[in-house]
Amino acid sequence: MAHDLDPIDHNIVRMLAEDARTSYAELGRKVGLSPSAVAERIHQLESAKVILGYRALLDEKAFGYSVMAFIRLTCDNTHYRPFLKFLPTIDAVQECHHITGGEAFLIKVRLSSIDQLEPLIERLLPYGMPTTSMVLSTPVYRQQEAWLLRHAGFPSRTRKK
Amino acid sequence: MAHDLDPIDHNIVRMLAEDARTSYAELGRKVGLSPSAVAERIHQLESAKVILGYRALLDEKAFGYSVMAFIRLTCDNTHYRPFLKFLPTIDAVQECHHITGGEAFLIKVRLSSIDQLEPLIERLLPYGMPTTSMVLSTPVYRQQEAWLLRHAGFPSRTRKK
DNA sequence: GTTGAAATGACTATTTA
DNA sequence: TAAATAGTCATTTCAAC
């Protein structure tokens, strides 16, 4: 399953994770390859689904969604499947994880105000017993790619010119 | 606080969230502006920290990190600050949220194997009482930007040529 | 915001190892 | 098979308007 990445691939991926708009030419300079060679490697990494896409990272607060909460929903077997159908229709849900411990789900939601929490909880009630924790602050928040890089021990790089 | 985005900014941001490598020229065509006008708007959005950066989205499984878990740590006042200093030094930690309910933290970690969980928990023990939930599956996982777009009711767009 | 020109980058085909 | 090269086209950038 794990795609075989040589050190050059690794470096290319690292740089694209830090700045997805880095040009093939600059990538090539940094890894000592021609732009076309870099482009070919990147296309292979995309085909192999190692690189899944390129995203602009946005500040949700600029869009007015500043409340984050985690809802733990304990849900018995009869409500399990209906809940899975219902869940993706709720826009506030950013993540839902099925976790160990008695058919429970951990749901991360984002809202534009605390007022939206109660209606949301009421919509979940038919499926199980929700326990809500508001997020007061987030001392650590790493993007998956940033986390990966840190984990792999790569040095950080300053933003290009 | 909330940067004032007109509909054109909104469209540009939407497209960059879907594909951060879209060229200024193509963005300009889609929103009916010249490439330079688009570039200027984007630079302003970057300065205003509405766009925080551009990232390649990677498949962690391709890198061997397939285990996700949530650890809830209940932690009394004396351990609060030391914990906050200790936490960023742990590479496995992807997110840590300070949540309501008796000085508790909710920590999302990613590991390459379940064997790494026990040592991690032992490192947390001095700071409080950990409760661990393994993630069995993740029925919903939306990028913050994807979530934003869905929430804002934008139509999805097919990948460019 | 627009236009236009110069520099840079991207893409394809071909050559090389 | 993988990379370099060269030619062509597209894009970025910056000036002037």
Side-chain angles (χ1 to χ4, degrees), chain A residues 106-121:
Chain A
L106 186 62
I107 307 164
K108 186 204 274 185
V109 299
R110 284 194 191 257
L111 307 166
S112 53
S113 93
I114 188 96
D115 302 334
Q116 302 183 323
L117 187 59
E118 191 170 359
L120 175 62
I121 289 170

Side-chain angles (χ1 to χ4, degrees), chain A residues 2-145:
Chain A
H3 189 261
D4 225 12
L5 302 180
D6 69 13
I8 291 178
D9 285 333
H10 228 140
N11 258 315
I12 290 171
V13 162
R14 171 181 73 85
M15 289 190 279
L16 286 176
E18 289 194 41
D19 184 358
R21 288 180 75 94
T22 310
S23 68
Y24 295 152
E26 189 180 345
L27 293 169
R29 265 177 246 124
K30 295 249 165 79
V31 301
L33 248 55
S34 69
S36 19
V38 171
E40 194 188 329
R41 278 168 179 266
I42 289 176
H43 294 150
Q44 283 178 1
L45 290 168
E46 289 171 349
S47 300
K49 304 286 184 198
V50 173
I51 296 173
L52 300 171
Y54 305 92
R55 298 289 155 83
L57 188 62
L58 306 177
D59 178 13
E60 310 99 327
K61 287 181 201 138
F63 295 85
Y65 303 106
S66 51
V67 176
M68 193 193 302
F70 284 89
I71 304 174
R72 188 192 163 96
L73 189 81
T74 308
C75 153
D76 65 35
N77 283 335
T78 63
H79 296 116
Y80 180 83
R81 294 212 162 271
F83 174 68
L84 287 183
K85 298 230 163 163
F86 166 67
L87 192 70
T89 67
I90 310 177
D91 289 334
V93 173
Q94 195 174 10
E95 296 177 27
C96 174
H97 306 279
H98 185 196
I99 57 175
T100 54
E103 289 308 313
F105 293 96
L106 186 62
I107 307 164
K108 186 204 274 185
V109 299
R110 284 194 191 257
L111 307 166
S112 53
S113 93
I114 188 96
D115 302 334
Q116 302 183 323
L117 187 59
E118 191 170 359
L120 175 62
I121 289 170
E122 281 172 4
R123 294 180 68 192
L124 293 174
L125 276 176
Y127 300 95
M129 165 75 171
T131 309
T132 303
S133 302
M134 304 301 301
V135 172
L136 302 173
S137 65
T138 298
V140 176
Y141 189 90
R142 296 176 187 151
Q143 290 304 111
Q144 66 172 333
E145 41 284 340

Side-chain angles (χ1 to χ4, degrees), chain B:
Chain B
M1 357 254 120
H3 189 261
D4 225 13
L5 301 180
D6 70 13
I8 291 178
D9 285 333
H10 228 141
N11 259 315
I12 290 171
V13 162
R14 173 181 72 85
M15 289 190 279
L16 286 175
E18 288 193 44
D19 183 357
R21 288 179 76 94
T22 311
S23 69
Y24 295 152
E26 188 180 346
L27 292 169
R29 264 176 247 124
K30 296 247 165 82
V31 301
L33 249 52
S34 68
S36 352
V38 171
E40 194 188 330
R41 277 168 180 267
I42 289 176
H43 294 149
Q44 283 177 3
L45 290 167
E46 289 170 350
S47 301
K49 305 285 182 197
V50 172
I51 296 173
L52 300 171
Y54 305 93
R55 299 289 154 83
L57 189 62
L58 306 177
D59 178 13
E60 311 98 327
K61 287 180 201 140
F63 295 86
Y65 302 107
S66 51
V67 176
M68 194 191 303
F70 284 89
I71 304 174
R72 187 192 164 97
L73 189 81
T74 307
C75 152
D76 65 34
N77 284 335
T78 63
H79 296 115
Y80 180 82
R81 293 209 165 273
F83 174 69
L84 287 183
K85 298 230 164 167
F86 166 68
L87 192 69
T89 67
I90 309 178
D91 290 334
V93 172
Q94 194 175 11
E95 296 178 28
C96 174
H97 306 279
H98 185 196
I99 57 174
T100 54
E103 290 307 313
F105 293 96
L106 187 62
I107 307 165
K108 187 204 273 185
V109 298
R110 284 194 190 258
L111 307 166
S112 52
S113 92
I114 188 96
D115 302 334
Q116 302 184 325
L117 187 59
E118 193 170 358
L120 175 62
I121 289 171
E122 280 172 5
R123 294 180 68 192
L124 292 174
L125 276 176
Y127 300 95
M129 165 75 172
T131 309
T132 304
S133 302
M134 304 302 301
V135 172
L136 302 172
S137 65
T138 298
V140 177
Y141 188 90
R142 296 175 186 153
Q143 289 305 110
Q144 66 171 331
E145 40 285 341
W147 168 85
L148 172 72
L149 300 175
R150 190 182 164 80
H151 198 97
F154 286 117
S156 61
R157 185 174 68 90
T158 52
R159 189 106 169 74
K160 76 177 176 202
K161 52 154 186 300

